[in-house]
Amino acid sequence: MILQLSETVFDVAIVGAGASGLFLASHLKRQKVAIIEANSRVGLKILASGGGKCNVTNKNVSASNYLGDKDFIKPILDEFKPNDTLAFLKKHNIDVELRKHGQFFLKNSAKDLVELFKKLTKKHKFFLDTKVLHVEHGGVFRIETSKGLIRAKRVVVASGGISFASLGASDIGYKIATDFSHTIITPNPALVGLSLQKEQFWMKKLSGISFNVKLKVADKILENDLLFTHRGISGPVVLSGSLYWSKGKLTIDFLPHINLEEILNKDSKKLISSTLPLPKRFIKEFLGSISLKDSPLSSLSSAQKEMILRLKNYEFAPAGNFGFSKAEVTKGGVCCTQIGANLESKLQKNLFFIGEVLDVTGELGGYNFQWVFASANRVARELR
Ligand SMILES: Cc1cc2nc3c(=O)[nH]c(=O)nc-3n(C[C@H](O)[C@H](O)[C@H](O)COP(=O)(O)OP(=O)(O)OC[C@H]3O[C@@H](n4cnc5c(N)ncnc54)[C@H](O)[C@@H]3O)c2cc1C
């Protein structure tokens, strides 16, 4: 016999008090809402996001910035746009700042957003330190938790992906979905650094160096900073690129907007390292990797110039990625073909999925929070 945690049959039970669960709960005013959270505090990922300043949205949001079914994603994004996120924050006196690549960050701290959510959800019933273990339906939903049973007429799964288990992530959303016969698209780490094969180990010596590159992966071309680390490559361009990479080759242009061929054909006594607009350490290690000495441009043979031209088109296959513990998000998740346009399960009435638990994953730059808010907004409209 499982202990009943509350006599109330809640109108809505939300599994997870992360960004999507809190945003949804903030927009449900009239219902009796239970929010069940495994952590002892709410919104831990929000606090960790954007270097503590939470990159809440992006000026350039469109379905093309997401991995997933574009026809499913687009109408949900169209209904709640970046300007709606900004208006919500403005209404509650939270200032934002626009940074490069259209990214909006909170001016002060990610804490402000968590505090706002706490304020807006005050009247709801929080079950903290309470892990959801199993959900079943028989007239109402019976939610089995680590502390006892909670009952509700509707359940919204807002439990996120499985990345960053240190912040409370678990596979409960996938388990609930599977129990109701949903298909799960294999989860994989995304927005994550990539590790290297032996031929690219020269890059490991460049730990800490970062500069702007163009990255081609699958049919995507992305431009942003690449950061070399002792484990491999990271930085915004690689994190976004990891969304579209599963295995095989990718190509880096280390000198975007530079006509390298023209530079190399100059009859100049200047050394390669003093001519190319790249960090000296990078040039040294790159030249070492192609067994070339730093020498005057005028002394280079055609074959040597060809080798240096690889900087514009450096193609290689990463060994893998840094794994779920370092991945900002999880790609894959609950398959959207079995989810209605209102985010309700097509297989179980009154069961909804929002946020990262779904097979929708955005690039780096505020796209994931925008999806979280837009999907929560869609369900809020349904439940109001
Ligand atoms: C370090 C880091 C930085 C990031 N920075 C940004 C950024 O700046 N901009 C951006 O757009 N995105 C960012 N992201 C991604 C973004 O945080 C997520 O996409 C977003 O938080 C997903 O929201 P969610 O509500 O779907 O899931 P989550 O925010 O992960 O919330 C899920 C909640 O469910 C709870 N839970 C899990 N299992 C159970 C269970 N069994 N029982 C009860 N509760 C459970 C978890 O504890 C958690 O609180 C970042 C992610 C990380 C890890």
Side-chain angles (χ1 to χ4, degrees):
M1 178 78 177
I2 308 171
L3 171 83
Q4 203 152 288
L5 262 185
S6 165
E7 284 300 313
T8 311
V9 177
F10 291 94
D11 293 324
V12 183
I14 301 174
V15 181
S20 61
L22 290 170
F23 187 90
L24 170 63
S26 302
H27 288 79
L28 298 178
K29 302 281 180 233
R30 284 188 293 275
Q31 296 83 348
K32 280 191 204 122
V33 179
I35 304 156
I36 314 164
E37 170 56 51
N39 289 326
S40 55
R41 291 189 298 147
V42 305
L44 286 194
K45 245 183 219 175
I46 301 175
L47 294 174
S49 67
K53 296 238 172 174
C54 188
N55 182 189
V56 269
T57 190
N58 194 297
K59 220 164 103 177
N60 308 313
V61 166
S62 88
S64 67
N65 302 108
Y66 294 82
L67 192 66
D69 177 354
K70 310 277 186 278
D71 293 336
F72 176 82
I73 298 169
K74 189 175 180 309
I76 294 166
L77 289 178
D78 283 350
E79 219 180 273
F80 194 83
K81 299 200 169 194
N83 274 344
D84 296 309
T85 299
L86 299 177
F88 169 73
L89 296 170
K90 190 164 184 213
K91 180 175 163 196
H92 296 288
N93 302 314
I94 295 186
D95 291 334
V96 293
E97 63 181 8
L98 178 60
R99 298 197 195 158
K100 62 179 182 176
H101 302 290
Q103 305 171 101
F104 285 99
F105 285 75
L106 300 189
K107 216 171 196 166
N108 181 35
S109 161
K111 277 186 201 150
D112 296 350
L113 185 57
V114 174
E115 288 309 313
L116 171 65
F117 283 142
K118 280 194 200 165
K119 192 176 97 187
L120 296 177
T121 55
K122 234 184 210 152
K123 81 173 194 63
H124 298 321
K125 174 75 182 156
F126 278 87
F127 296 92
L128 297 178
D129 255 329
T130 307
K131 229 181 220 165
V132 172
L133 304 173
H134 178 67
V135 176
E136 58 188 34
H137 188 261
V140 294
F141 286 96
R142 291 164 48 85
I143 304 153
E144 198 186 307
T145 77
S146 52
K147 295 213 174 135
L149 197 69
I150 297 167
R151 291 169 303 155
K153 293 177 196 158
R154 285 149 159 179
V155 167
V156 182
V157 180
S159 54
I162 51 175
S163 310
F164 258 81
S166 56
L167 297 177
S170 85
D171 63 353
I172 189 62
Y174 308 150
K175 280 197 178 132
I176 297 170
T178 311
D179 285 345
F180 286 96
S181 305
H182 278 269
T183 305
I184 304 298
I185 305 299
T186 309
N188 270 301
L191 305 197
V192 64
L194 299 175
S195 53
L196 304 167
Q197 311 224 38
K198 221 167 62 213
E199 295 74 29
Q200 280 73 44
F201 275 8
W202 61 273
M203 295 186 191
K204 289 190 180 191
K205 297 181 193 151
L206 299 169
S207 184
I209 290 182
S210 168
F211 56 89
N212 184 64
V213 305
K214 229 181 222 178
L215 174 70
K216 187 167 179 289
V217 49
D219 58 351
K220 280 272 168 184
I221 296 177
L222 305 160
E223 184 171 345
N224 208 325
D225 288 348
L226 179 148
L227 170 71
F228 296 94
T229 80
H230 66 287
R231 287 187 68 181
I233 50 171
S234 187
V237 79
V238 173
L239 299 192
S240 281
S242 71
L243 195 57
Y244 305 106
W245 183 82
S246 50
K247 59 181 178 186
K249 291 184 173 165
L250 44 79
T251 310
I252 300 176
D253 178 353
F254 288 108
L255 285 164
H257 318 294
I258 298 283
N259 187 337
L260 183 57
E261 211 167 346
E262 196 175 276
I263 293 179
L264 293 177
N265 284 332
K266 277 186 186 152
D267 187 23
S268 163
K269 299 252 172 321
K270 276 191 176 169
L271 294 174
I272 305 166
S273 61
S274 26
T275 315
L276 301 185
L278 284 165
K280 294 256 184 308
R281 254 172 76 203
F282 173 86
I283 296 176
K284 178 174 170 264
E285 295 304 334
F286 170 72
L287 291 178
S289 78
I290 54 172
S291 310
L292 213 66
K293 281 211 176 85
D294 194 8
S295 21
L297 293 183
S298 53
S299 70
L300 294 172
S301 68
S302 304
Q304 288 171 330
K305 285 179 190 170
E306 270 313 306
M307 288 199 285
I308 299 173
L309 273 171
R310 277 191 75 195
L311 284 172
K312 289 290 294 174
N313 205 10
Y314 192 89
E315 193 184 61
F316 70 104
N321 61 58
F322 296 176
F324 281 114
S325 64
K326 301 276 179 217
E328 289 201 2
V329 293
T330 304
K331 61 180 169 184
V334 178
C335 177
C336 296
T337 54
Q338 294 158 334
I339 304 289
N342 62 352
L343 296 175
E344 186 178 15
S345 161
K346 289 180 183 172
L347 310 179
Q348 173 60 56
K349 217 173 152 22
N350 292 323
L351 176 66
F352 296 82
F353 293 86
I354 55 173
E356 200 184 307
V357 73
L358 286 163
D359 177 28
V360 176
T361 317
E363 292 172 7
L364 188 89
Y367 298 97
N368 285 295
F369 278 131
Q370 185 59 31
W371 167 251
V372 157
F373 301 147
S375 59
N377 170 72
R378 182 65 191 84
V379 172
R381 188 157 78 78
E382 196 68 19
L383 301 185
R384 270 200 285 260

